[in-house]
Amino acid sequence: MDTSGRAPVPADALDFTVDNVEKALHQLYYDPNIENKNLAQKWLMQAQVSPQAWQFCWSLLSPDKVPEIQYFGASALHTKISRYWSDIPSDQYDTLKTQLFSQIACFSSGSKMVLTRLCVALASLALNTMPEAWPGAVPEMVRVFQEEGGGVDGRARCLALLELLTVLPEEFQTSRLPQYRKGQVRGALGREWGSVCPLLQQLLRRGDSPGAVKARVLRCLSSWVLLDVPLSESEGLVEDCFSALPDPELFDTAVEAIVNAVSQPDSQRYVNTLLKLVPQVLSLQEQLREAVQSGDMETSHGICRIAVALGENHSRALLEQVEHWQGFLALVNMIMFCTGIPGHYPVNETTSSLTLTFWYTLQDDIMSFDSERQGVYLQVYRPVYFQLVDVLLHKAQFPSDQEYASWSSDEKEQFRIYRVDISDTLMYVYEMLGAELLSNLYEKLGRILTNTEPASSWQHTEALLYGFQSIAETIDVNYSDVIPGLIGLIPRININNVQLADTVMFTIGALAEWLADHPVMLSSVLPLVLQALGNPDLSVSSVSTLKKICRECKYDLPPYASNIVAVSQEVLIKQIHKTSQCMWLMQALGFLLSALPVEEILRNLHALITPYIQQLEKLADETPNPSNKLAIIHILGLLSNLFTTLDISKQEDESGESTAPPVKTAPPSPGPNPVVVVLQQVFALIQTVLSKWLNDSQVVEAVCAIFEKSVKTLLHDFAPMVSQLSEMLGQMYSTIPQASALDLTRQMVHIFASETDHFPPIKALFELVTSVTLSIFQQGPRDHPDIVDSFMQLQAQALKRKPDLFLSESLDLKAVFHCGVLSLKFPESPTVKSTCLFFTELLPHCSDVPQVARVVQEDGKLLLQAVLEAIGGGSSRGLMDQFAEVLFSLNKHCFSLLTIWLKEVLQSPGFPSTRVTSEQKDTFTQQILRERVNKRRVKDIVKEFTLVCRGLHGTEYAADY
């Protein structure tokens, strides 16, 4: 073993000898140095596809080699046959086949992993030669392995044959055969099922067949049914699988085979076979009950999978067999038993979750019939679905506090997801059961809370509320006559548990829209929410509920505003909530304040913000360190989130729809916007903070976020701040350039560049950041892909909103253009996308901005070169659509120049790739120049050309593209 630290793999790539392959394999498996392992891996991959592989692979299979080496030999054979079939002369097919048969016979008693690889190689050969060159492939395989001889015992030969028959359909599923061949071979394999099926049946029914053989038969059936072989032909074999279920050794493989057989899309055509399978499945109920009683989760899980596979895949076909309705109803009830299986998911059982999709499918199928038939089915199945709701709510119940405390965090998370799945199912079932479902839940809750039902657990109450919440969260319950009663019941709940309290909060949150239409009920629930705000365990539920109420009901909250602000201030000062909940709380207060008169907004803002401003002043004086940095970012975040939702325009809410009748809105105030008032007051302080933290991108980002959120919310109301913010941004960016400053500049350009009053400061800022960024390019921009990305987005936005910005003498458009060409070669995809956007915005201005026309005329050829270089293989294939857009834009706006440039640039031999011929380049040029209207077509032409350039045209990679 080479211990010098250098890889012993030969440098000469052509030196693929048996000896060298063995050395490389030794290095791959045993060398502790990861770099050496990687080198060996790379070299072995080249060896596997080299012409020499045909020589060394047979030698590597010799009996005196270790299994790892034999395995590589078998894998190399499979690679050559499956991927380089066209290299094999047709007169070699028979020799290759004979060699493979003989190797499989040798290994039938040897290493299992090598045997499987050899079987896969022979399967690949069969798929490439059937049906023409090897018409009776499967019968020949059966015959060869049934013949005595070769010193191999019958059981080993039988297992080798079953392995070969199992991998044959599997290899077909993953094969790289062209589409037309796939169809031919699928048909040929389908015809071979006629000889495979009786063999499998015979082996499964023989009393003296060893368990290993029967298990392999079941695996083989699983593999063949994936080819959609007719279920009617496999009927007997599938029934035999049911007979194998009592055998614990065969149980799992038998389940897999039955599930695969009934799940094939084609199987729904064989209704008679399906009808025969229903009693077979129902006969498993005894075994299922015993498994549940004895806590045998694997058996109950397997039987449930079978019942669900039959029900879910064929509910419509079985529903249509009206004369067999009782059999299908029994199957539905069996699945209901699996849904309600005793125990808590996921600790005592993992089966019930498998059944949920079935209930969706059955409901869809029932509702898809015409109204007359639907009525008949609903008579039978509505009671079943009401029972389902009871079962689901029972399953959604929390275990006892003691038991829940013993669960791991992973189990608790799985249970949470399971409850979400139940919630989604209830919401879906509501479509079938309608208002009666809500009434049903309300009555049950009423009986518990008015003590007419014997002592009930908090879990029962919580589950019923959870059912309400599931429905109210996504379905409009405004018309429901039980919601007022529900709101009346909520204060009666004895909340003595965190889970129950959480659900009460989320239920109130789900009813926020209803409360907006029935504001008189706010006084019943708001105190509960404000009380919950003080409990850190209810942080997420209480804050998100308050935010929903403040968003939906803001015009009805002024009477409660001072109380809400006071409680919020208290919990913020006590630091009860984590950062993200503090941010939500500020958003809630933003919604709340938006509906108040301006002087009240200012008064509340003053009370709310003053403690933070004082804290920020103190922090601004301190020497920067990690802990005060976090405190600064937290305070800036609070302000950002408050200003995100504080919108006194009141014209539109977040969703863009009118939220309130005009009578409720306060008259617009003639004075400045309250947010602007506050920003102007804290502006100097923010500048002080910045001066100390300018080189910290997170603090700069947090400062920019305050203004960006404010600009987005206030739009033109932000106008009084434009001048001073532009000046501050310019100073910030000149000192230490950061992407967030460019993003804020882009926002300002978007809103204010077209306004005459604000054009001068915006123009000055735009020119300054452009000039600073150009100097970054001169020093080397590779370390700042984020700045380049934001810079290109800014330039694109300026071209879109105000091309006049580029008329200025002090803006070096030629340099910006060159930076764009350079940015196209960045490895970061987002940066390249933004740069392509810049060019597609720039090129249309050749006609109306003389500076653009001049630069494109002088340097457009460089742009074309960069685009073609990327298409030729210089950039990720995922970016080809963006480069195609630049090419399309050049063709549309600079046609005569493009005609000349394409000819000149593509004349260079080997450009944009050594793999393309001059004829292919000429065709590409003609195709591009012809398309000046159809952008989609240009994208297809570029995709085609890039595949040719990369040597991928006509490969399976191209198919994925």
Side-chain angles (χ1 to χ4, degrees):
M1 178 95 201
D2 186 332
T3 53
S4 64
R6 250 178 349 98
V9 169
D12 181 2
L14 299 175
D15 207 5
F16 296 125
T17 61
V18 175
D19 207 26
N20 283 334
V21 169
E22 287 196 43
K23 276 185 198 163
L25 282 165
H26 192 272
Q27 188 174 323
L28 177 67
Y29 287 116
Y30 304 111
D31 193 319
N33 183 322
I34 193 75
E35 276 183 37
N36 288 352
K37 279 181 184 294
N38 291 340
L39 276 171
Q41 170 93 356
K42 208 169 175 183
W43 187 87
L44 286 164
M45 284 168 80
Q46 291 174 319
Q48 217 172 19
V49 300
S50 68
Q52 294 93 315
W54 286 117
Q55 281 76 53
F56 69 65
C57 58
W58 299 109
S59 311
L60 295 177
L61 285 165
S62 92
D64 58 337
K65 306 287 183 196
V66 293
E68 289 87 348
I69 288 174
Q70 295 169 332
Y71 180 82
F72 183 79
S75 286
L77 265 173
H78 173 244
T79 302
K80 297 299 281 183
I81 294 169
S82 63
R83 285 169 60 183
Y84 299 92
W85 178 252
S86 53
D87 297 352
I88 307 172
S90 52
D91 58 358
Q92 297 287 309
Y93 294 170
D94 278 348
T95 318
L96 184 56
K97 179 170 68 178
T98 311
Q99 282 176 296
L100 279 167
F101 268 130
S102 111
Q103 288 290 350
I104 290 171
C106 293
F107 278 93
S108 59
S109 307
S111 163
K112 170 76 171 66
M113 64 177 185
V114 181
L115 172 67
T116 299
R117 246 21 237 147
L118 288 167
C119 288
V120 172
L122 181 56
S124 188
L125 183 140
L127 297 174
N128 278 298
T129 49
M130 66 195 324
E132 300 87 0
W134 191 5
V138 172
E140 186 175 339
M141 289 173 185
V142 174
R143 184 176 48 72
V144 167
F145 284 97
Q146 281 182 336
E147 287 170 358
E148 298 290 333
V152 180
D153 72 74
R155 179 171 171 273
R157 276 203 319 275
C158 179
L159 285 169
L161 170 62
L162 287 169
E163 183 65 22
L164 181 54
L165 292 176
T166 302
V167 299
L168 186 59
E170 290 170 355
E171 179 66 6
F172 172 76
Q173 303 291 355
T174 57
S175 68
R176 297 165 174 188
L177 296 169
Q179 212 49 47
Y180 78 95
R181 279 281 296 146
K182 274 215 156 180
Q184 287 178 344
V185 175
R186 182 186 277 278
L189 282 171
R191 291 189 290 278
E192 302 286 21
W193 178 237
S195 53
V196 175
C197 188
L199 170 72
L200 298 183
Q201 214 160 353
Q202 178 194 344
L203 288 169
L204 202 52
R205 287 179 179 177
R206 273 175 57 173
D208 59 347
S209 282
V213 169
K214 287 185 175 180
R216 196 67 61 82
V217 166
L218 293 167
R219 260 194 59 219
C220 191
L221 169 62
S222 266
S223 177
W224 278 81
V225 294
L226 295 176
L227 290 173
D228 258 350
V229 293
L231 186 62
S232 54
E233 290 179 23
S234 335
E235 190 182 298
L237 198 47
V238 174
E239 287 184 4
D240 292 341
C241 293
F242 279 92
S243 312
L245 287 170
D247 183 340
E249 296 294 308
L250 301 177
F251 181 81
D252 288 342
T253 32
V255 168
E256 211 58 49
I258 296 167
V259 168
N260 285 341
V262 299
S263 301
Q264 282 315 101
D266 189 55
S267 57
Q268 60 200 27
R269 294 195 297 142
Y270 305 99
V271 177
N272 288 335
T273 304
L274 294 172
L275 287 170
K276 288 180 195 169
L277 290 176
V278 172
Q280 295 262 22
V281 175
L282 294 174
S283 70
L284 301 173
Q285 288 181 98
E286 194 48 46
Q287 193 180 350
L288 173 63
R289 282 201 180 83
E290 283 171 13
V292 169
Q293 277 166 2
S294 63
D296 177 357
M297 279 163 72
E298 282 179 23
T299 301
S300 53
H301 198 80
I303 294 174
C304 171
R305 280 185 65 202
I306 293 172
V308 169
L310 184 59
E312 200 174 299
N313 289 291
H314 305 295
S315 64
R316 189 178 178 93
L318 293 168
L319 277 168
E320 283 174 334
Q321 307 308 306
V322 182
E323 63 279 18
H324 297 277
W325 70 273
Q326 283 166 309
F328 183 57
L329 181 59
L331 179 66
V332 171
N333 284 322
M334 181 177 175
I335 295 172
M336 179 78 79
F337 175 80
C338 295
T339 305
I341 207 158
H344 285 287
Y345 181 95
V347 176
N348 319 105
E349 63 91 8
T350 52
T351 299
S352 56
S353 61
L354 300 178
T355 65
L356 298 179
T357 319
F358 164 74
W359 299 107
Y360 285 79
T361 309
L362 177 60
Q363 180 175 324
D364 283 346
D365 288 336
I366 290 170
M367 303 311 270
S368 68
F369 288 115
D370 59 64
S371 54
E372 192 181 332
R373 288 175 74 188
Q374 200 182 100
V376 175
Y377 287 119
L378 285 175
Q379 274 187 318
V380 177
Y381 286 101
R382 262 178 80 87
V384 172
Y385 272 84
F386 273 112
Q387 185 194 345
L388 173 67
V389 172
D390 290 343
V391 166
L392 289 176
L393 291 177
H394 182 72
K395 292 297 294 180
Q397 285 187 25
F398 279 88
S400 70
D401 295 339
Q402 191 182 356
E403 191 183 338
Y404 190 65
S406 72
W407 285 12
S408 69
S409 57
D410 187 41
E411 286 166 342
K412 287 176 179 173
E413 176 58 10
Q414 283 185 54
F415 182 58
R416 186 192 67 76
I417 293 166
Y418 174 68
R419 276 172 50 102
V420 170
D421 292 341
I422 285 180
S423 171
D424 292 343
T425 312
L426 288 170
M427 186 182 75
Y428 204 72
V429 167
Y430 178 83
E431 290 180 23
M432 181 196 269
L433 302 181
E436 200 183 330
L437 171 54
L438 288 178
S439 307
N440 188 301
L441 294 176
Y442 175 63
E443 280 167 25
K444 288 181 176 153
L445 192 61
R447 283 203 298 275
I448 292 174
L449 296 178
T450 52
N451 298 325
T452 50
E453 197 158 282
S456 179
S457 63
W458 69 262
Q459 286 93 337
H460 196 177
T461 308
E462 189 279 334
L464 287 166
L465 272 179
Y466 186 67
F468 262 113
Q469 177 206 322
S470 304
I471 294 158
E473 233 165 10
T474 41
I475 287 163
D476 179 11
V477 292
N478 275 8
Y479 62 86
S480 168
D481 53 359
V482 303
I483 304 298
L486 172 65
I487 297 271
L489 284 174
I490 284 176
R492 301 181 66 143
I493 297 171
N494 175 23
I495 302 176
N496 53 4
N497 174 281
V498 169
Q499 283 88 13
L500 176 57
D502 255 338
T503 303
V504 169
M505 282 303 113
F506 284 127
T507 305
I508 295 170
L511 295 170
E513 282 183 44
W514 184 89
L515 287 165
D517 290 337
H518 305 83
V520 70
M521 303 300 279
L522 275 166
S523 57
S524 300
V525 291
L526 202 51
L528 288 174
V529 179
L530 294 179
Q531 188 188 347
L533 272 183
N535 184 343
D537 291 333
L538 304 178
S539 184
V540 173
S541 60
S542 62
V543 175
S544 68
T545 295
L546 182 66
K547 183 180 161 186
K548 281 181 182 173
I549 290 175
C550 288
R551 186 180 63 209
E552 301 300 335
C553 313
K554 60 184 171 187
Y555 300 109
D556 304 295
L557 290 176
Y560 309 97
S562 57
N563 195 11
I564 295 173
V565 172
V567 173
S568 301
Q569 265 186 297
E570 189 186 342
V571 299
L572 284 165
I573 289 163
K574 286 183 178 171
Q575 297 183 343
I576 281 172
H577 302 288
K578 290 185 179 162
T579 301
S580 51
Q581 276 71 52
C582 292
M583 302 306 158
W584 291 359
L585 190 48
M586 279 302 204
Q587 288 179 22
L589 294 171
F591 286 125
L592 174 74
L593 297 180
S594 302
L596 300 178
V598 170
E599 54 279 10
E600 275 190 50
I601 296 178
L602 284 167
R603 196 175 67 247
N604 277 292
L605 276 177
H606 183 70
L608 193 59
I609 291 175
T610 302
Y612 293 111
I613 301 305
Q614 289 166 350
Q615 206 182 336
L616 197 56
E617 283 169 344
K618 191 164 152 290
L619 290 163
D621 285 342
E622 293 175 9
T623 311
N625 67 58
S627 69
N628 59 23
K629 169 184 162 175
L630 286 176
I632 288 170
I633 289 174
H634 181 75
I635 293 171
L636 295 173
L638 292 174
L639 296 176
S640 290
N641 279 280
L642 179 62
F643 298 157
T644 303
T645 54
L646 208 172
D647 180 10
I648 61 165
S649 63
K650 295 197 184 72
Q651 299 311 309
E652 295 175 333
D653 75 340
E654 281 188 325
S655 65
E657 296 165 352
S658 174
T659 52
V663 276
K664 288 187 176 180
T665 60
S669 165
N673 187 293
V675 172
V676 172
V677 173
V678 173
L679 283 174
Q680 285 173 329
Q681 286 170 357
V682 298
F683 198 80
L685 174 57
I686 287 175
Q687 282 181 303
T688 311
V689 170
L690 263 182
S691 64
K692 289 224 175 145
W693 290 91
L694 250 185
N695 58 354
D696 189 294
S697 63
Q698 288 172 301
V699 175
V700 173
E701 241 169 77
V703 168
C704 290
I706 289 183
F707 293 107
E708 197 174 345
K709 299 276 174 62
S710 306
V711 170
K712 276 183 179 171
T713 309
L714 302 180
L715 301 173
H716 296 284
D717 278 357
F718 189 81
M721 299 284 301
V722 169
S723 184
Q724 59 193 130
L725 181 58
S726 299
E727 194 181 331
M728 185 181 93
L729 268 174
Q731 288 166 356
M732 274 167 60
Y733 196 73
S734 307
T735 317
I736 296 183
Q738 309 233 1
S740 50
L742 289 173
D743 295 335
L744 180 50
T745 304
R746 186 178 83 238
Q747 201 69 38
M748 302 267 283
V749 167
H750 176 64
I751 295 168
F752 296 107
S754 305
E755 296 190 9
T756 319
D757 294 351
H758 300 300
F759 184 67
I762 294 288
K763 176 174 179 284
L765 173 61
F766 180 70
E767 288 173 7
L768 177 62
V769 298
T770 299
S771 149
V772 171
T773 312
L774 292 178
S775 62
I776 293 177
F777 269 91
Q778 284 171 345
Q779 292 153 20
R782 272 303 302 117
D783 297 336
H784 307 285
D786 56 336
I787 288 180
V788 175
D789 184 354
S790 295
F791 178 66
M792 287 299 154
Q793 287 186 50
L794 168 63
Q795 297 294 320
Q797 182 70 268
L799 284 159
K800 195 173 186 173
R801 297 294 291 184
K802 194 69 176 169
D804 292 7
L805 287 165
F806 293 86
L807 295 172
S808 164
E809 285 304 312
S810 47
L811 192 127
D812 190 347
L813 183 59
K814 192 180 179 76
V816 174
F817 188 92
H818 278 261
C819 292
V821 171
L822 193 63
S823 307
L824 286 176
K825 300 175 185 179
F826 270 45
E828 291 83 6
S829 292
T831 305
V832 177
K833 281 182 181 175
S834 301
T835 309
C836 288
L837 176 68
F838 161 65
F839 282 116
T840 51
E841 290 291 350
L842 178 85
L843 293 167
H845 290 295
C846 284
S847 54
D848 61 0
V849 180
Q851 286 87 331
V852 172
R854 193 180 324 122
V855 169
V856 172
Q857 199 158 2
E858 290 169 7
D859 297 322
K861 186 173 163 186
L862 291 173
L863 170 62
L864 177 67
Q865 261 175 318
V867 168
L868 291 174
E869 201 176 300
I871 294 169
S875 271
S876 151
R877 275 163 53 203
L879 292 166
M880 289 307 112
D881 276 1
Q882 281 77 15
F883 284 109
E885 295 207 8
V886 178
L887 208 47
F888 179 74
S889 206
L890 277 166
N891 197 22
K892 196 170 179 180
H893 304 287
C894 324
F895 178 72
S896 52
L897 288 167
L898 182 65
T899 312
I900 301 161
W901 293 336
L902 272 171
K903 194 174 179 185
E904 290 174 357
V905 170
L906 288 174
Q907 259 177 349
S908 308
F911 183 84
S913 159
T914 50
R915 292 190 178 91
V916 281
T917 62
S918 5
E919 289 80 16
Q920 286 169 318
K921 290 199 262 190
D922 289 345
T923 308
F924 174 69
T925 303
Q926 287 161 14
Q927 286 177 319
I928 289 292
L929 293 172
R930 206 178 295 135
E931 294 297 340
R932 299 183 66 189
V933 180
N934 189 340
K935 194 189 290 183
R936 180 73 260 155
R937 177 78 188 107
V938 173
K939 287 181 179 179
D940 290 341
I941 295 164
V942 166
K943 278 184 180 175
E944 191 81 5
F945 189 61
T946 196
L947 288 170
V948 175
C949 290
R950 293 163 199 259
L952 296 173
H953 198 262
T955 66
E956 76 273 10
Y957 298 106
D960 300 336
Y961 192 32

